[in-house]
Structure formats: C-alpha cells, structure tokens
C-alpha cells in the first residue's frame, strides 16, 4: 500500500492556511499535531447530537455517549496490540498516565534507597513524577547517558539495573533527538532481573507501529494530542498483572462501586483508575484519530516519514553552519539544531515564524538532556506524516535567511 | 513627538518596506549597542518572564520627576538585544516623570515592531517596558 501525502494533507484543514502572509509550514507536530477533518467532525457531531455524561444515566443519550466512549478502549487496544481492552486506562495523556503509575504502582513498592532507571533524554513528564518519589520517600534516580551520536546503548540501561532497582522508565523515541530506543531488549533483560518497564510512548506511537505484547512492556503511555487527536485525551496500557498490583491514583465518582461512611469498594480495573467525568468527547475524538491513522497504516506512515527524514537530513547536512543534535541512523524525523554564531534559538524561531515556518524553540521539556549536551536551547523541527519535501525546502530557505541575518 | 533619536529611527524605518530589512536594522542596532557588563548581569537586573535572558540596569541622573532616565540592557538573543536598543532610543534621556506617558505600543507600531509587545509574546519586550515604567515612577516619586 502506498502513502499519498497530498491526500493526507487535504484531510487537515489548518494546513491550507497562511501565517504571516506565507503558506503555513508546520514543523511543530512533536509538541502537538494538527487534527484531520474526521476528528473535528466527530467532536462537533458528538456535542451536537450525542452528548451526555457516561456510565451514569440510563437514558438514550447517556447510553449512546457511553457506547461511543467505551468503544475507544478497544480501538486503543487494537492500536497498541494489547491483549485485552481491560488493559487500557483512559486518561488525559502521558503525563497523567505516568503520574498514575508513580503514585499507584511505584510509591507503595519503593523505600528509601530503592532505584529507578531513567535515560538522560526523558521528557519532564517521565522525570518529575520520579522526583516526587525521590523528594518524598528517598528513592534514587539512576541516569543513563546517550552517546555523542544521541544513541542510547540498551546494554548501558541494562547494566544500570541493580538489586535495588524497582522500575525502568524510559522513552521509546526522544522528543529532542529523534533517537529510537530498543525497549524490547531492555525489557527482556529487565524482566530477567525481575524489574518492570514503563515506556513513554508519546512520540513513538505517532511515528511507528507499536506492539506492546511483542515489546513485552509492563506500562506504555500514549497521548492523544500528538496522535492527531484532541488535547486532553490519552491512555496508558497496563499489563493485567501490573494492573492488579496498582492502587487507585485519583479518587472520585465513576471509579467506585459502593461508598459508605466507613468503607469504599472500588470499581473493577480499569475503571477504578478513571475517576470523575472523563474527557468524553476528547476520547471519542482520539478513537477517530486512531482509526484514521490505522487506515493509513502505521507501517506506511513510518516508511514515508523515513524517506522524509532522509531528505531532510541530506538537506540540513548541507548547511555547514548548522549543528544538528542527534545523528542516530534510524532516528525519527525530529531535528534539533543550533546555528553557529551568536543567534539564540528564539532568534531563529522568530525569523522562521516570519517565513511561515513553525518550530519549537527552547529546552523541549528535557532540561537534563540539554545540560548533558551543554546547550542552553535549541530549535526543533519535528515532522509528521503530513509534511512534505517542500516543507523541508521551506525550512532550509528560512534557515539560510537566518544565517544571513545573524552570521 | 518621541525623543530625537527615536524620531530619527522612525524616519529610517520609513524607508524599510519589508520585515527582513526592519529586522536586519534592529539586529544591527543590537550589535552596535553597548551592552551590560557581565558583572552586572545579576538577579537584581534580570527581567523575569522572558523566553530568552534579559537584563536591564536603570540609570537615573538627577532628583525628582525632572531627573533623566537612562538604562543599559543586555540579552542573549540578537533580536531582543536589538529591541533593547530600540527601547533605548525611545526612553533614554526622557524625564522620569514623563516615562509613564510614553506609549510604547504606539511608538513601536510606527516601526512595525509592535507585535513584539503583545501579551502572548514571551520575548520580554513587554516585561522590559514594564520594568522601565516602574523604575521611572519610583524615581519620580522619590
């Protein structure tokens, strides 16, 4: 099956708008992706005709909304190839998912001196929840560095697992360097040592097929807004045995079966991890977004994005005044860079913006990695399935202007 | 009427039609500006709320509302450094009692640079202007 990027582009209405009088070149999908018309329509339709609270009423609309909402669990299970939809906890995104595991699974299992292994290229969402445990109960964070290429040697992660290690929490794809991590090898080795593995799949699930059973991981967190779905939607895969070990994180309605003065009986998993009225329409929108990308085929998307990466890499390598961080051979089409000379990342992004090119500038919620690289800030062009080689050319053209202005 | 140096700047900008030329000029102004010594780039002179790093050191010459306002500024971003130079043209030598009356949005608008003053922009120009106004108001009241 081939991948028709122009047909995909036509599905995203925002891509045809102009910014600062120039055609929009959106290279900030790593921060948040744009939405296809089917998702926008699904949101509008749900609020227009099928909206009510879920899991509560017995009336028609509540049943319809509940059915639509609950069906997304199965869509996500299919998307991640989970063994059962009962292993999918719906939430607001990766941040909530990782915090749930930190509080609900890790906290009661970890004592002062126990260790958690992280890579240096984690997003703050997979750092700060563990800092909470460090601050509050004295756990130790063990950091594993990337090499100069931006590659993470899986053996270094495995070697960092010691007798006191209780969890490996690691990204599948770096949001700054584009580096892919061999989580399968890490998980196999970690399991041999009896240590579970949590994977931050925020970026990876967007750009390549993910099979949580093949990877063997214990926890796999995804976030809807990067998956062409609504912001405030997401999920985490929690393998059944880990699900059974986990205590609830947020208490409230919907996650209980019975509440009395002196007793509370929780709902069954995964419901007991979903308190309060959820992001009903966001989740419905996420289901539509996932069906959309699955219909395009994750392998097709990955192959197309690889060709885009190769083109971008060859063009950017031709700019000898540009420093790209992260040269991993099979990296995703994410390029963080600085310009030689005095130009700040914000200078570059300001000029690119004037040319209609949207990139992110700053530390990308990955300050430990930036410290490790010794760079205060970078610009990041993150490509998605709707970007083209024309977008690469527009970026290069705008960068040449930056070089001219700031050199 | 703004300061003489700002009026001269506005005249120059009248000949700069497109944003590229305006930015080029702003960047050049930043390059030509005397910055703030590194020793003075300290928390007291740092302007918070900026995406890049910005420092401002006010200098008040005289007493009361007739004292003259001046400042030195610095940033690690070249466009912001240039914008500091533009603000310097706008505020340098103005009586502290008059600083609050300068309409920075309107004046930068004359240069086609007012989009840097919108509340959403985190480049610090707005925060710099606020710092300048506060310091001048305090000096005028002293």
């Amino acid at each position: 099956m081939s991948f028709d990027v122009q047909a995909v582009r036509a599905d995203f209405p925002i891509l045809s708008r102009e910014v600062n009088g120039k055609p929009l070149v959106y290279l900030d999908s790593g921060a948040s992706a744009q939405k296809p018309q089917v998702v926008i329509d699904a949101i509008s339709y749900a609020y227009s005709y099928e909206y009510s609270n879920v899991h509560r009423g017995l009336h028609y609309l509540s049943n319809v909304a509940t059915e639509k909402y609950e069906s997304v669990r199965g869509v996500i299970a299919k998307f991640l190839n989970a063994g059962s939809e009962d292993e999918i906890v719906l939430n607001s995104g990766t941040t909530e998912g990782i915090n749930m595991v930190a509080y609900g699974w890790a906290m009661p299992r970890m004592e002062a001196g126990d260790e958690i292994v992280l890579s240096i290229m984690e997003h703050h969402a997979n750092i700060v929840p563990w800092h909470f445990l460090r601050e509050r109960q004295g756990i130790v964070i063990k950091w594993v560095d990337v090499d100069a290429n931006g590659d993470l040697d899986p053996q270094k992660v495995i070697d960092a697992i010691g007798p006191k290690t209780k969890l490996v929490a690691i990204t599948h794809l770096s949001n700054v360097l584009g580096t892919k991590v061999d989580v399968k090898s890490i998980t196999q080795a970690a399991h041999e040592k009896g240590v579970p593995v949590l994977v931050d799949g925020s970026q990876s699930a967007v750009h390549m097929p993910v099979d949580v059973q093949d990877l063997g991981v214990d926890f796999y967190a995804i976030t809807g807004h990067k998956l062409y779905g609504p912001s405030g939607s997401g999920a985490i895969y929690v393998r059944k045995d880990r699900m059974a070990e986990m205590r609830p994180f947020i208490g409230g309605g919907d996650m209980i079966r019975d509440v009395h003065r002196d007793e509370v009986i929780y709902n069954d998993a995964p419901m007991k991890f979903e308190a309060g009225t959820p992001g009903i329409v966001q989740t419905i929108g996420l289901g539509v977004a996932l069906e959309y990308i699955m219909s395009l085929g994750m392998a097709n998307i990955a192959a197309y994005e690889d060709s885009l990466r190769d083109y971008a890499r060859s063009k950017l390598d031709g700019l000898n005044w540009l420093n790209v961080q992260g040269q991993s051979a099979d990296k995703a089409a994410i390029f963080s860079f600085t310009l030689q000379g005095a130009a700040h990342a914000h200078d570059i992004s300001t000029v690119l913006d004037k040319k209609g090119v949207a990139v992110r500038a700053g530390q990308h919620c990955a300050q430990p990695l930036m410290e490790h690289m010794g760079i205060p800030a970078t610009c990041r062009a993150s490509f998605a399935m709707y970007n083209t080689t024309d977008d690469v050319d527009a970026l290069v053209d705008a960068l040449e202007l930056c070089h001219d202005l700031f050199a | 009427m703004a300061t003489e140096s700002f009026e001269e700047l506005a005249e120059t900008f009248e000949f700069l039609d497109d944003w590229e030329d305006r930015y080029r000029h702003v960047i050049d102004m930043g390059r030509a500006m005397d910055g703030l010594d590194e020793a003075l780039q300290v928390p007291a002179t740092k302007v918070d709320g900026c995406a890049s790093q910005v420092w401002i050191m006010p200098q008040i010459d005289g007493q009361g509302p007739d004292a003259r306002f001046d400042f030195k500024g610095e940033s690690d971003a070249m466009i912001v450094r240039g914008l500091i130079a533009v603000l310097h043209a706008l505020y340098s030598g103005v009586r502290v009692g008059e600083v609050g009356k300068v309409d920075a949005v309107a004046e930068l608008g004359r240069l086609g640079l007012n989009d840097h003053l919108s509340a959403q922009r985190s480049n610090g120009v707005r925060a710099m202007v606020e710092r300048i106004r506060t310091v001048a108001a305090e000096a005028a009241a002293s």
Side-chain angles (χ1 to χ4, degrees):
Chain A
M1 204 171 112
S2 64
F3 183 85
D4 182 352
V5 67
Q6 291 306 330
V8 169
R9 286 183 70 77
D11 290 335
F12 288 79
I14 206 169
L15 296 179
S16 56
R17 69 159 289 172
E18 292 191 341
V19 164
N20 288 324
K22 306 282 193 312
L24 169 64
V25 176
Y26 189 74
L27 302 179
D28 198 20
S29 299
S32 201
Q34 299 299 345
K35 317 306 172 198
Q37 191 66 51
V38 284
V39 170
I40 298 165
D41 288 347
I43 293 167
S44 175
Y45 190 85
Y47 278 127
S48 301
Y49 304 108
E50 294 185 336
Y51 184 74
S52 179
N53 210 330
V54 292
H55 302 143
R56 286 164 172 79
L58 289 173
H59 57 80
Y60 176 81
L61 282 179
S62 180
N63 285 331
V64 171
T66 301
E67 240 167 71
K68 291 259 166 139
Y69 173 82
E70 276 299 323
S71 72
V72 177
R73 218 180 284 280
V75 175
I76 296 168
K78 184 170 80 171
F79 178 67
L80 296 175
N81 194 34
S84 157
E85 66 178 54
D86 291 339
E87 295 176 315
I88 304 299
V89 177
L90 300 170
N91 57 28
S92 61
T94 296
T95 300
E96 188 184 338
I98 296 176
N99 274 276
M100 181 192 76
V101 175
Y103 184 91
W105 186 87
M107 193 187 265
R109 272 170 187 73
M110 297 188 75
E111 295 169 1
D114 283 347
E115 295 166 359
I116 179 158
V117 173
L118 304 184
S119 89
I120 196 72
M121 60 184 171
E122 298 309 316
H123 186 283
H124 293 165
N126 195 25
I127 297 174
V128 181
W130 311 119
H131 269 309
F132 282 0
L133 300 195
R134 181 190 58 73
E135 284 180 346
R136 296 170 190 178
Q137 49 197 83
I139 72 138
V140 177
I141 300 175
K142 304 273 276 186
W143 296 95
V144 182
D145 284 343
V146 292
D147 65 20
N149 232 14
D151 280 312
L152 182 70
D153 181 354
Q155 192 56 48
K156 283 183 72 178
V157 179
I158 294 161
D159 291 345
I161 300 171
K164 302 210 98 180
T165 303
K166 291 289 191 289
L167 183 71
V168 174
I170 201 152
T171 185
H172 201 178
L173 202 171
S174 162
N175 69 315
V176 178
L177 304 174
T179 305
K180 291 173 188 163
V181 175
D182 180 3
V183 295
K184 189 174 178 177
S185 300
I186 291 168
T187 302
Q188 274 170 359
H191 283 179
E192 279 167 24
K193 300 181 184 192
V195 176
V197 177
L198 174 143
V199 176
D200 174 353
S202 299
Q203 299 288 339
S204 48
V206 185
H207 301 294
M208 59 202 208
V210 172
D211 182 335
V212 289
Q213 294 187 79
D214 178 57
L215 296 173
V217 297
D218 300 81
F219 308 94
Y220 198 98
I222 59 171
T223 208
H225 70 95
K226 295 187 203 292
L227 285 158
Y228 310 101
S231 55
S233 67
I236 183 166
Y237 161 81
V238 181
R239 216 180 54 214
K240 206 161 259 171
D241 49 339
R242 299 296 168 213
M243 189 87 87
E245 293 169 353
M246 194 162 61
R247 67 179 185 185
F249 172 36
I250 299 173
D254 226 21
M255 53 81 73
I256 44 82
R257 184 170 296 142
D258 285 306
V259 180
H260 307 285
R261 289 181 190 222
D262 300 313
E263 188 191 19
V264 53
I265 298 166
Y266 301 123
N267 210 330
D268 293 334
M271 298 279 290
K272 77 168 166 184
F273 303 106
E274 299 171 1
T277 294
I280 299 165
V281 175
Q282 294 94 312
T283 301
I284 291 170
L286 172 59
V288 173
L290 294 180
E291 293 281 21
Y292 173 77
I293 55 176
M294 283 191 282
S295 75
L296 296 170
M298 290 310 296
N300 295 323
I301 291 170
Y304 173 73
E305 290 185 2
D306 280 353
S307 70
L308 200 57
R309 170 204 62 203
D310 292 343
Y311 183 80
R313 180 178 260 168
S314 71
K315 289 284 177 177
L316 295 175
D317 281 352
L319 308 176
N320 59 12
W321 34 265
L322 192 80
N323 297 325
V324 175
Q325 276 76 40
Q327 298 288 356
S328 182
D330 73 335
K331 68 183 270 178
I334 294 174
F335 296 89
S336 288
F337 54 82
T338 53
L339 247 64
Q340 280 173 17
H344 191 280
H346 294 111
D347 289 321
I348 300 161
S349 70
T350 301
V351 171
L352 295 187
D353 181 50
K354 282 281 184 187
K355 299 277 274 179
V357 180
V359 298
R360 180 154 175 197
Q363 302 184 318
H364 318 295
C365 296
Q367 286 179 6
L369 175 63
M370 305 301 282
E371 282 173 12
H372 172 73
M373 298 191 301
I375 298 167
T378 71
C379 278
R380 179 189 67 184
S382 53
F383 291 81
M385 62 176 180
Y386 44 56
N387 290 118
T388 65
T389 52
D390 286 349
D391 294 339
V392 176
D393 293 341
L395 171 67
V396 169
D397 181 55
L399 285 173
E400 273 168 349
L401 175 63
C402 288
H403 178 58
D404 181 40
L405 284 172
F406 298 120
Chain B
M1 276 292 278
T3 62
E4 202 175 308
S5 56
F6 191 83
E7 289 302 330
E8 277 174 26
L9 188 58
E11 247 176 71
T12 307
F13 268 70
E14 276 176 32
F15 296 99
L16 304 174
D17 297 333
D18 67 5
W19 68 267
E20 270 186 51
D21 292 333
R22 289 200 298 274
Y23 269 53
R24 212 176 283 277
H25 196 81
V26 167
I27 293 160
D28 286 345
M29 285 176 70
R31 282 202 175 101
M33 178 180 78
D34 285 333
L36 191 63
D37 286 346
E38 220 165 291
L40 296 170
Q41 295 172 20
V42 293
T45 58
K46 184 103 187 270
V47 181
D48 291 329
C50 313
S52 47
Q53 302 204 79
V54 175
W55 297 267
I56 279 193
M57 169 118 150
Q59 294 160 330
I60 314 281
D61 185 14
Q63 289 291 318
D66 286 337
R68 298 285 173 169
F69 183 80
D70 200 359
F71 72 93
K72 284 196 166 206
E74 188 61 76
S75 172
D76 57 350
M78 291 173 83
I79 293 173
V80 176
R81 199 168 198 276
L83 291 167
I84 294 172
V86 171
L87 290 179
H88 191 260
L90 186 62
Y91 286 108
S92 176
V94 175
R95 274 190 281 272
V96 291
E98 303 288 313
V99 162
K101 295 175 189 161
V102 175
D103 185 347
V105 176
E107 298 296 347
L108 263 70
R110 292 168 65 196
L111 310 186
L113 297 171
N114 50 327
D115 58 341
H116 287 287
L117 276 166
S118 70
Q120 295 83 359
R121 297 296 168 112
S122 52
N123 64 19
V125 179
R126 196 186 166 94
M128 270 187 273
V129 169
E130 272 161 24
R131 172 75 67 94
I132 287 167
R133 292 167 71 103
T134 306
V135 168
E138 282 167 7
S142 67

